[in-house]
Amino acid sequence: MADVRGILTRRLDSAWKRGEPSALLADWAERIAALRAVSADVAEAAEGYAVGIAGADDAAAIQTVRNAALSRENGAFTEALALGPSLSVDEKRVLGKGLNLGKALIEAVEKAKREALERSKEDANALDVTLPGRRPFVGRPHVLAQVRDELLDLFHGLGFSVYTSPEVELDTYNFGKLNFAPDHPARDAHDTYFVNPDVVLRTHTSPGWVRAMEERKPPLRLVFPGRVYRAEAVDASHMDQFHQMDGLYVGKNVSMADLKATLNTFARAIYRRDVPTRIIPIYFPFVEPGVQMDVQCATCKGTGRYKDESGERRCPVCKGTKWVEVLGAGMVHPNVFRAVGYDPEEVTGFAFGMGLERITMGRHGIHEIRQFLENDTRFLSQF
Ligand code: DAH
């Protein structure tokens, strides 16, 4: 009998990469076993080509192996089929059946391999819909800007407009016209950065009142938000730049009662509706009388004592005083009116000034003032 096995295996190439047909065809094992039962020679050859197709890296490599097996001119299976006339009827029947099964099996592996290649190409370019999406980064106003805007909203509602004045300010506006006597110790509280002997970085936002009053006639109802500077040693609760907002109301018969009502409205809006407040006297050169407004300490709820796992002690926030200072205020000093050309017999006014960092730290329980300037998004994104 002709060398069927030789013809069928002649074109197998040991250079082909070998793959695993059973990974491509679920019924590979049954089909190759069925083929083996018909013809071990054909099964051996078919497996060789199937392994070559399974191992192919691309369509061209698949085609090479397929052609070696099935090409109409010189494929191994085609040549084996051409042996037919020289075989006995029985041999012809067995070989014909084997070649048909083997050819179908190789074609099935080829089809599955081509589909697998297509799929892996798609996978490489495809969106993985199971990956969680990446949120776009969305910025937000700085926490100090949020508090400032909330205060501006509140004071707009009370009829105040915004007035902004320079951060680099004349010494006379920062001090002299605000009734600081040249050698008065009140200046000690303002550790001033001097640009030259007549120019300073403003130590508070109060100089804004002087500029507004020099520019405009009463009545005035203004707030003065902005950045201020002091030559302070920096630590967890002090920085050499921070933010304030002053307010000023000048008109006829503006009284201390108006001041108290305004400050209480502020405290209820910014702290809580029923927060106890108190006003105590304190000296500022530009107001008379001068006051400080305190709100009840939120940490100890006005008890002065603080309890946690480690026991009871003096409240660390108010230091046992039960109150936290929130702002300075008072009735505008007659000397300030004189300095801007207003007649203190004609007009009266109140003013107040608050620190935005202090309010923000109290509200959010922030204990480190430097975080406001560090631009660390882990901090900023919490607000
Ligand atoms: N300017 C003062 C400071 O920075 C705060 C202040 C006190 C402002 C009393 C006022 C006021 O408007 O009336 O220490």
Side-chain angles (χ1 to χ4, degrees):
M1 188 185 140
D3 182 13
V4 174
R5 188 171 177 278
I7 290 173
L8 280 173
T9 57
R10 199 168 53 213
R11 304 212 46 203
L12 288 172
D13 186 339
S14 61
W16 294 339
K17 263 176 80 176
R18 301 172 61 79
E20 194 48 72
S22 61
L24 293 166
L25 281 190
D27 56 357
W28 165 260
E30 294 96 81
R31 290 177 71 168
I32 195 74
L35 177 52
R36 207 170 284 125
V38 176
S39 161
D41 290 341
V42 178
E44 185 195 333
E47 178 157 16
Y49 295 105
V51 163
I53 288 172
D57 285 329
D58 53 27
I62 296 175
Q63 195 64 34
T64 302
V65 181
R66 197 214 93 95
N67 284 347
L70 304 178
S71 141
R72 266 199 238 158
E73 293 89 65
N74 54 10
F77 276 60
T78 312
E79 286 178 2
L81 204 56
L83 290 173
S86 64
L87 301 177
S88 73
V89 174
D90 271 357
E91 285 173 338
K92 204 153 91 178
R93 197 175 43 74
V94 170
L95 180 65
K97 188 173 178 201
L99 289 178
N100 277 338
L101 285 175
K103 180 172 180 234
L105 190 50
I106 291 169
E107 282 172 345
V109 172
E110 179 195 356
K111 180 163 178 272
K113 179 66 188 181
R114 286 191 193 278
E115 285 167 3
L117 269 185
E118 268 321 297
R119 244 180 287 122
S120 70
K121 246 194 266 167
E122 275 166 22
D123 288 352
N125 308 322
L127 284 175
D128 181 350
V129 293
T130 66
L131 262 187
R134 258 181 253 155
R135 278 185 192 287
F137 176 77
V138 180
R140 68 185 77 197
H142 192 281
V143 61
L144 287 174
Q146 292 178 33
V147 170
R148 177 202 61 204
D149 291 347
E150 191 177 327
L151 289 168
L152 290 180
D153 258 6
L154 171 73
F155 287 114
H156 281 157
L158 295 175
F160 289 78
S161 316
V162 172
Y163 187 98
T164 52
S165 70
E167 291 177 22
V168 182
E169 183 56 284
L170 291 168
D171 175 274
T172 48
Y173 284 77
N174 196 79
F175 294 118
K177 293 182 188 226
L178 284 170
N179 198 37
F180 285 81
D183 297 313
H184 194 282
R187 276 191 177 226
D188 280 357
H190 296 238
D191 304 313
T192 313
Y193 283 124
F194 283 86
V195 175
N196 66 44
D198 300 323
V199 178
V200 301
L201 297 185
R202 66 176 177 191
T203 61
H204 50 172
T205 45
S206 309
W209 332 342
V210 179
R211 290 186 172 272
M213 288 193 286
E214 283 185 345
E215 239 170 55
R216 301 178 188 182
K217 297 228 161 321
L220 293 181
R221 220 182 313 179
L222 298 169
V223 282
F224 306 83
R227 194 186 298 254
V228 302
Y229 301 85
R230 292 192 196 175
E232 304 251 16
V234 173
D235 64 24
S237 51
H238 296 86
M239 270 202 307
D240 60 359
Q241 51 179 294
F242 53 99
H243 298 79
Q244 289 187 336
M245 190 180 303
D246 266 53
L248 175 72
Y249 181 17
V250 179
K252 286 199 190 306
N253 301 318
V254 176
S255 74
M256 192 91 185
D258 299 317
L259 172 61
K260 287 181 74 172
T262 303
L263 294 184
N264 280 331
T265 303
F266 152 80
R268 285 179 193 134
I270 297 303
Y271 293 90
R272 29 174 252 265
R273 284 190 62 76
D274 55 349
V275 67
T277 59
R278 71 172 184 183
I279 277 177
I280 57 175
I282 189 171
Y283 177 76
F284 297 104
F286 33 89
V287 282
E288 180 58 38
V291 300
Q292 157 184 328
M293 184 170 78
D294 296 347
V295 297
Q296 191 185 66
C297 178
T299 305
C300 65
K301 311 225 163 36
T303 62
R305 307 292 298 168
Y306 185 77
K307 253 188 260 167
D308 62 11
E309 318 81 61
S310 59
E312 196 191 309
R313 57 206 149 96
R314 199 181 70 166
C315 174
V317 172
C318 65
K319 311 271 184 287
T321 64
K322 307 176 184 174
W323 298 95
V324 214
E325 176 199 340
V326 290
L327 52 76
M331 302 306 294
V332 178
H333 197 289
N335 286 348
V336 176
F337 283 142
R338 286 187 197 102
V340 300
Y342 285 9
D343 179 356
E345 300 301 325
E346 278 285 305
V347 292
T348 54
F350 68 71
F352 55 86
M354 58 189 87
L356 296 191
E357 279 80 356
R358 170 179 293 241
I359 291 172
T360 308
M361 291 169 85
R363 166 179 294 187
H364 292 296
I366 299 167
H367 301 297
E368 171 52 84
I369 195 170
R370 286 170 284 200
Q371 286 181 312
F372 290 123
L373 270 190
E374 277 169 0
N375 251 356
D376 186 333
T377 53
R378 288 170 303 181
F379 171 74
L380 296 174
S381 62
Q382 293 176 48
F383 309 104

